Amino acid sequence: MLRVGVLASGGGSNFEALVSDLRTPPLLATVVSLTCNVESAPVIERAHRLGVKCHVLSHRHAASREAFDTQLVDFLRTDNVNLVVLAGYMRLVSPVLLEAFPRAVINIHPSLLPDFKGLHAVRQALAAKVTTSGCTVHFVDAGMDTGQTIAQASVAVAPSDTEDSLASKIHQLEHQLLPRVVRTLAAERGVHADLQVSRT
Ligand code: GRF
């Protein structure tokens, strides 16, 4: 069983969708913990309601990004995590995390990457007047939304779409795509050398 650790900073709808989906057969993966860096984030309440172990680790007191990520890695190793999922995690990760979990950190982003990286991706897509948008799950590297794409899902942008309406459509897609990718990675595990986790 693939053991998933989720990192999130906000609402947590993707976290909840992933937890719920993975609880339905076939049971290939399980979310073992949430780590949240924002003390007031609604995702924490979702974790409590769903009975998922929750670490709250504010970055405000960390001496550096590396020091913060070292604590994160400690939590993830304690939970025996072998896939790290960033689901609305609003921080760039350092090599400390990436080297601890090589090719085993993934992120979901609300655009068809490589278009519209970074913040306000939905707003960027509307401003660019695209007729199709969507979401991307990708491996995380040291850049912002630059890692290798694993899977994408797309949706038509209507002329009447606002940032809220398009974000809502993309969220629906995300709630299906992220669990699908995690299931695929879980099924490939064992034959997928990329998904080995280094333990030092
Ligand atoms: C999602 O749109 C995700 O793509 C982005 O942050 C948002 C998180 O939404 N990285 P939620 O907190 O899962 O509802």
Short mmCIF file of all heavy atoms in Angstrom, two decimals, residues 35-77:
data_model
loop_
_atom_site.label_atom_id
_atom_site.label_comp_id
_atom_site.label_asym_id
_atom_site.label_seq_id
_atom_site.Cartn_x
_atom_site.Cartn_y
_atom_site.Cartn_z
N THR A 35 0.21 17.57 6.52
CA THR A 35 1.03 18.58 7.18
C THR A 35 0.62 19.93 6.61
O THR A 35 0.60 20.11 5.39
CB THR A 35 2.53 18.33 6.97
OG1 THR A 35 2.84 16.99 7.38
CG2 THR A 35 3.36 19.31 7.80
N CYS A 36 0.25 20.83 7.51
CA CYS A 36 -0.24 22.14 7.10
C CYS A 36 0.64 23.22 7.72
O CYS A 36 0.95 23.16 8.91
CB CYS A 36 -1.69 22.30 7.58
SG CYS A 36 -2.38 23.90 7.13
N ASN A 37 1.03 24.20 6.91
CA ASN A 37 1.93 25.25 7.40
C ASN A 37 1.18 26.53 7.82
O ASN A 37 1.82 27.51 8.16
CB ASN A 37 2.97 25.60 6.33
CG ASN A 37 2.34 26.20 5.10
OD1 ASN A 37 1.32 25.70 4.62
ND2 ASN A 37 2.90 27.26 4.59
N VAL A 38 -0.16 26.50 7.75
CA VAL A 38 -0.95 27.69 8.12
C VAL A 38 -1.91 27.29 9.23
O VAL A 38 -2.82 26.46 9.02
CB VAL A 38 -1.73 28.24 6.90
CG1 VAL A 38 -2.60 29.43 7.29
CG2 VAL A 38 -0.77 28.62 5.78
N GLU A 39 -1.71 27.89 10.41
CA GLU A 39 -2.46 27.43 11.59
C GLU A 39 -3.97 27.57 11.47
O GLU A 39 -4.72 26.82 12.09
CB GLU A 39 -1.96 28.22 12.82
CG GLU A 39 -0.60 27.72 13.30
CD GLU A 39 0.21 28.79 14.03
OE1 GLU A 39 -0.28 29.93 14.17
OE2 GLU A 39 1.33 28.49 14.45
N SER A 40 -4.43 28.54 10.65
CA SER A 40 -5.87 28.79 10.55
C SER A 40 -6.49 28.15 9.30
O SER A 40 -7.65 28.43 8.98
CB SER A 40 -6.11 30.30 10.51
OG SER A 40 -5.40 30.84 9.39
N ALA A 41 -5.76 27.31 8.60
CA ALA A 41 -6.27 26.80 7.32
C ALA A 41 -7.43 25.81 7.52
O ALA A 41 -7.34 24.91 8.36
CB ALA A 41 -5.14 26.11 6.56
N PRO A 42 -8.50 25.95 6.73
CA PRO A 42 -9.64 25.04 6.84
C PRO A 42 -9.29 23.56 6.61
O PRO A 42 -10.01 22.68 7.08
CB PRO A 42 -10.61 25.55 5.76
CG PRO A 42 -10.24 26.99 5.57
CD PRO A 42 -8.76 27.06 5.81
N VAL A 43 -8.20 23.31 5.90
CA VAL A 43 -7.84 21.90 5.64
C VAL A 43 -7.62 21.14 6.95
O VAL A 43 -7.83 19.91 7.03
CB VAL A 43 -6.59 21.82 4.72
CG1 VAL A 43 -5.33 22.35 5.39
CG2 VAL A 43 -6.38 20.40 4.22
N ILE A 44 -7.24 21.85 8.01
CA ILE A 44 -6.97 21.18 9.30
C ILE A 44 -8.26 20.56 9.84
O ILE A 44 -8.29 19.40 10.28
CB ILE A 44 -6.36 22.17 10.30
CG1 ILE A 44 -4.98 22.62 9.79
CG2 ILE A 44 -6.25 21.56 11.69
CD1 ILE A 44 -4.39 23.80 10.56
N GLU A 45 -9.34 21.33 9.76
CA GLU A 45 -10.64 20.84 10.22
C GLU A 45 -11.08 19.62 9.38
O GLU A 45 -11.63 18.65 9.90
CB GLU A 45 -11.67 21.97 10.14
CG GLU A 45 -13.09 21.61 10.50
CD GLU A 45 -13.20 20.87 11.82
OE1 GLU A 45 -12.40 21.17 12.72
OE2 GLU A 45 -14.07 19.97 11.93
N ARG A 46 -10.80 19.68 8.10
CA ARG A 46 -11.15 18.53 7.25
C ARG A 46 -10.39 17.29 7.72
O ARG A 46 -10.95 16.19 7.74
CB ARG A 46 -10.79 18.80 5.79
CG ARG A 46 -11.65 19.86 5.13
CD ARG A 46 -11.42 19.81 3.63
NE ARG A 46 -11.80 21.02 2.96
CZ ARG A 46 -12.80 21.11 2.07
NH1 ARG A 46 -13.52 20.05 1.76
NH2 ARG A 46 -13.06 22.26 1.46
N ALA A 47 -9.11 17.45 8.05
CA ALA A 47 -8.32 16.29 8.49
C ALA A 47 -8.92 15.71 9.77
O ALA A 47 -9.06 14.48 9.90
CB ALA A 47 -6.87 16.69 8.71
N HIS A 48 -9.30 16.58 10.70
CA HIS A 48 -9.90 16.10 11.95
C HIS A 48 -11.18 15.33 11.64
O HIS A 48 -11.41 14.24 12.15
CB HIS A 48 -10.18 17.26 12.90
CG HIS A 48 -8.92 17.91 13.42
ND1 HIS A 48 -7.76 17.22 13.70
CD2 HIS A 48 -8.64 19.21 13.69
CE1 HIS A 48 -6.83 18.06 14.13
NE2 HIS A 48 -7.33 19.27 14.13
N ARG A 49 -12.02 15.92 10.80
CA ARG A 49 -13.31 15.28 10.48
C ARG A 49 -13.11 13.92 9.81
O ARG A 49 -13.85 12.96 10.06
CB ARG A 49 -14.13 16.22 9.57
CG ARG A 49 -15.45 15.64 9.11
CD ARG A 49 -16.40 16.70 8.60
NE ARG A 49 -15.81 17.67 7.69
CZ ARG A 49 -15.55 17.44 6.40
NH1 ARG A 49 -15.83 16.26 5.87
NH2 ARG A 49 -15.04 18.38 5.65
N LEU A 50 -12.08 13.84 8.96
CA LEU A 50 -11.84 12.59 8.22
C LEU A 50 -11.00 11.59 9.02
O LEU A 50 -10.75 10.48 8.55
CB LEU A 50 -11.13 12.92 6.90
CG LEU A 50 -11.97 13.69 5.88
CD1 LEU A 50 -11.08 14.35 4.83
CD2 LEU A 50 -12.98 12.75 5.21
N GLY A 51 -10.53 12.02 10.18
CA GLY A 51 -9.73 11.12 11.01
C GLY A 51 -8.33 10.90 10.45
O GLY A 51 -7.76 9.80 10.62
N VAL A 52 -7.78 11.91 9.80
CA VAL A 52 -6.41 11.80 9.26
C VAL A 52 -5.46 12.54 10.20
O VAL A 52 -5.73 13.69 10.59
CB VAL A 52 -6.32 12.39 7.84
CG1 VAL A 52 -4.87 12.38 7.33
CG2 VAL A 52 -7.23 11.63 6.87
N LYS A 53 -4.38 11.91 10.55
CA LYS A 53 -3.36 12.51 11.41
C LYS A 53 -2.91 13.85 10.81
O LYS A 53 -2.68 13.95 9.60
CB LYS A 53 -2.17 11.55 11.49
CG LYS A 53 -1.02 12.03 12.34
CD LYS A 53 0.03 10.92 12.37
CE LYS A 53 1.27 11.33 13.14
NZ LYS A 53 2.28 10.27 13.07
N CYS A 54 -2.79 14.85 11.68
CA CYS A 54 -2.49 16.19 11.18
C CYS A 54 -1.32 16.82 11.93
O CYS A 54 -1.32 16.83 13.16
CB CYS A 54 -3.75 17.04 11.34
SG CYS A 54 -3.54 18.72 10.79
N HIS A 55 -0.34 17.30 11.18
CA HIS A 55 0.76 18.07 11.76
C HIS A 55 0.55 19.52 11.35
O HIS A 55 0.34 19.80 10.16
CB HIS A 55 2.11 17.65 11.18
CG HIS A 55 2.39 16.18 11.24
ND1 HIS A 55 2.78 15.55 12.38
CD2 HIS A 55 2.34 15.21 10.28
CE1 HIS A 55 2.98 14.26 12.14
NE2 HIS A 55 2.72 14.03 10.87
N VAL A 56 0.60 20.42 12.30
CA VAL A 56 0.58 21.85 11.96
C VAL A 56 1.96 22.40 12.25
O VAL A 56 2.45 22.30 13.38
CB VAL A 56 -0.50 22.61 12.76
CG1 VAL A 56 -0.50 24.08 12.37
CG2 VAL A 56 -1.88 21.99 12.51
N LEU A 57 2.59 22.89 11.20
CA LEU A 57 3.98 23.31 11.31
C LEU A 57 4.10 24.67 10.65
O LEU A 57 4.20 24.78 9.42
CB LEU A 57 4.85 22.27 10.57
CG LEU A 57 6.35 22.48 10.58
CD1 LEU A 57 6.90 22.44 11.99
CD2 LEU A 57 7.02 21.39 9.73
N SER A 58 4.02 25.71 11.45
CA SER A 58 4.08 27.06 10.89
C SER A 58 5.50 27.38 10.43
O SER A 58 6.46 27.09 11.14
CB SER A 58 3.63 28.08 11.92
OG SER A 58 3.86 29.37 11.41
N HIS A 59 5.59 27.97 9.24
CA HIS A 59 6.92 28.30 8.72
C HIS A 59 7.44 29.61 9.33
O HIS A 59 8.58 29.97 9.12
CB HIS A 59 6.87 28.43 7.20
CG HIS A 59 5.84 29.39 6.73
ND1 HIS A 59 4.55 29.02 6.45
CD2 HIS A 59 5.89 30.72 6.55
CE1 HIS A 59 3.86 30.08 6.09
NE2 HIS A 59 4.64 31.13 6.15
N ARG A 60 6.57 30.30 10.09
CA ARG A 60 6.95 31.64 10.57
C ARG A 60 8.17 31.61 11.48
O ARG A 60 8.93 32.56 11.51
CB ARG A 60 5.80 32.25 11.36
CG ARG A 60 4.66 32.67 10.49
CD ARG A 60 3.43 32.95 11.34
NE ARG A 60 2.29 33.18 10.51
CZ ARG A 60 1.70 34.35 10.35
NH1 ARG A 60 2.17 35.40 10.97
NH2 ARG A 60 0.65 34.47 9.57
N HIS A 61 8.33 30.53 12.23
CA HIS A 61 9.42 30.50 13.20
C HIS A 61 10.67 29.79 12.67
O HIS A 61 11.67 29.72 13.35
CB HIS A 61 8.95 29.82 14.50
CG HIS A 61 7.64 30.37 14.97
ND1 HIS A 61 7.49 31.69 15.34
CD2 HIS A 61 6.41 29.80 15.10
CE1 HIS A 61 6.23 31.90 15.68
NE2 HIS A 61 5.56 30.79 15.54
N ALA A 62 10.57 29.25 11.44
CA ALA A 62 11.72 28.50 10.92
C ALA A 62 12.84 29.46 10.53
O ALA A 62 12.60 30.53 9.97
CB ALA A 62 11.29 27.68 9.71
N ALA A 63 14.07 29.06 10.82
CA ALA A 63 15.23 29.91 10.54
C ALA A 63 15.47 30.05 9.03
O ALA A 63 15.96 31.07 8.57
CB ALA A 63 16.47 29.32 11.21
N SER A 64 15.12 29.03 8.27
CA SER A 64 15.35 29.05 6.82
C SER A 64 14.39 28.06 6.18
O SER A 64 13.78 27.22 6.86
CB SER A 64 16.79 28.63 6.51
OG SER A 64 16.97 27.28 6.90
N ARG A 65 14.30 28.15 4.87
CA ARG A 65 13.46 27.18 4.13
C ARG A 65 13.98 25.76 4.37
O ARG A 65 13.20 24.82 4.54
CB ARG A 65 13.53 27.54 2.64
CG ARG A 65 12.52 26.84 1.77
CD ARG A 65 12.58 27.36 0.33
NE ARG A 65 12.20 28.75 0.23
CZ ARG A 65 10.94 29.21 0.25
NH1 ARG A 65 9.94 28.35 0.35
NH2 ARG A 65 10.67 30.48 0.16
N GLU A 66 15.30 25.63 4.40
CA GLU A 66 15.91 24.30 4.59
C GLU A 66 15.59 23.76 6.00
O GLU A 66 15.31 22.58 6.16
CB GLU A 66 17.42 24.36 4.37
CG GLU A 66 17.85 24.56 2.92
CD GLU A 66 17.55 25.96 2.37
OE1 GLU A 66 17.41 26.91 3.17
OE2 GLU A 66 17.45 26.10 1.13
N ALA A 67 15.66 24.65 6.99
CA ALA A 67 15.37 24.21 8.36
C ALA A 67 13.92 23.75 8.47
O ALA A 67 13.61 22.73 9.10
CB ALA A 67 15.64 25.35 9.34
N PHE A 68 13.03 24.50 7.83
CA PHE A 68 11.62 24.12 7.84
C PHE A 68 11.40 22.77 7.15
O PHE A 68 10.73 21.88 7.67
CB PHE A 68 10.79 25.21 7.13
CG PHE A 68 9.32 24.92 7.09
CD1 PHE A 68 8.52 25.14 8.20
CD2 PHE A 68 8.73 24.39 5.95
CE1 PHE A 68 7.16 24.85 8.17
CE2 PHE A 68 7.38 24.10 5.91
CZ PHE A 68 6.59 24.34 7.02
N ASP A 69 12.03 22.62 5.98
CA ASP A 69 11.85 21.37 5.24
C ASP A 69 12.48 20.19 5.97
O ASP A 69 12.02 19.04 5.82
CB ASP A 69 12.42 21.51 3.82
CG ASP A 69 11.45 22.27 2.90
OD1 ASP A 69 10.37 22.66 3.37
OD2 ASP A 69 11.79 22.45 1.71
N THR A 70 13.51 20.43 6.76
CA THR A 70 14.10 19.35 7.55
C THR A 70 13.07 18.82 8.55
O THR A 70 12.93 17.60 8.74
CB THR A 70 15.36 19.84 8.27
OG1 THR A 70 16.31 20.27 7.29
CG2 THR A 70 16.00 18.75 9.13
N GLN A 71 12.33 19.73 9.16
CA GLN A 71 11.27 19.31 10.09
C GLN A 71 10.17 18.55 9.36
O GLN A 71 9.65 17.55 9.84
CB GLN A 71 10.66 20.53 10.77
CG GLN A 71 11.46 21.06 11.93
CD GLN A 71 10.73 22.22 12.58
OE1 GLN A 71 10.79 23.34 12.10
NE2 GLN A 71 10.02 21.94 13.65
N LEU A 72 9.84 19.07 8.17
CA LEU A 72 8.82 18.39 7.35
C LEU A 72 9.23 16.95 7.05
O LEU A 72 8.43 16.02 7.19
CB LEU A 72 8.72 19.09 6.00
CG LEU A 72 7.65 20.08 5.70
CD1 LEU A 72 7.74 20.50 4.24
CD2 LEU A 72 6.30 19.51 5.99
N VAL A 73 10.48 16.81 6.62
CA VAL A 73 10.99 15.48 6.26
C VAL A 73 10.93 14.55 7.48
O VAL A 73 10.57 13.36 7.36
CB VAL A 73 12.42 15.58 5.68
CG1 VAL A 73 13.08 14.21 5.58
CG2 VAL A 73 12.38 16.24 4.31
N ASP A 74 11.22 15.09 8.65
CA ASP A 74 11.14 14.28 9.88
C ASP A 74 9.73 13.73 10.06
O ASP A 74 9.53 12.55 10.35
CB ASP A 74 11.51 15.12 11.11
CG ASP A 74 13.02 15.27 11.25
OD1 ASP A 74 13.75 14.56 10.53
OD2 ASP A 74 13.45 16.11 12.07
N PHE A 75 8.73 14.61 9.91
CA PHE A 75 7.34 14.16 10.05
C PHE A 75 7.01 13.08 9.01
O PHE A 75 6.41 12.06 9.32
CB PHE A 75 6.36 15.32 9.84
CG PHE A 75 6.28 16.28 10.99
CD1 PHE A 75 6.17 17.64 10.76
CD2 PHE A 75 6.29 15.84 12.31
CE1 PHE A 75 6.08 18.54 11.81
CE2 PHE A 75 6.20 16.74 13.36
CZ PHE A 75 6.10 18.09 13.11
N LEU A 76 7.40 13.34 7.77
CA LEU A 76 7.04 12.43 6.69
C LEU A 76 7.71 11.07 6.88
O LEU A 76 7.12 10.02 6.62
CB LEU A 76 7.43 13.04 5.34
CG LEU A 76 6.64 14.32 4.97
CD1 LEU A 76 7.31 15.05 3.81
CD2 LEU A 76 5.20 13.99 4.62
N ARG A 77 8.94 11.10 7.38
CA ARG A 77 9.65 9.82 7.63
C ARG A 77 9.03 9.09 8.81
O ARG A 77 8.89 7.86 8.80
CB ARG A 77 11.13 10.07 7.85
CG ARG A 77 11.83 10.38 6.54
CD ARG A 77 13.34 10.25 6.68
NE ARG A 77 13.97 10.24 5.36
CZ ARG A 77 15.05 10.91 5.06
NH1 ARG A 77 15.65 11.65 5.97
NH2 ARG A 77 15.56 10.83 3.84
#
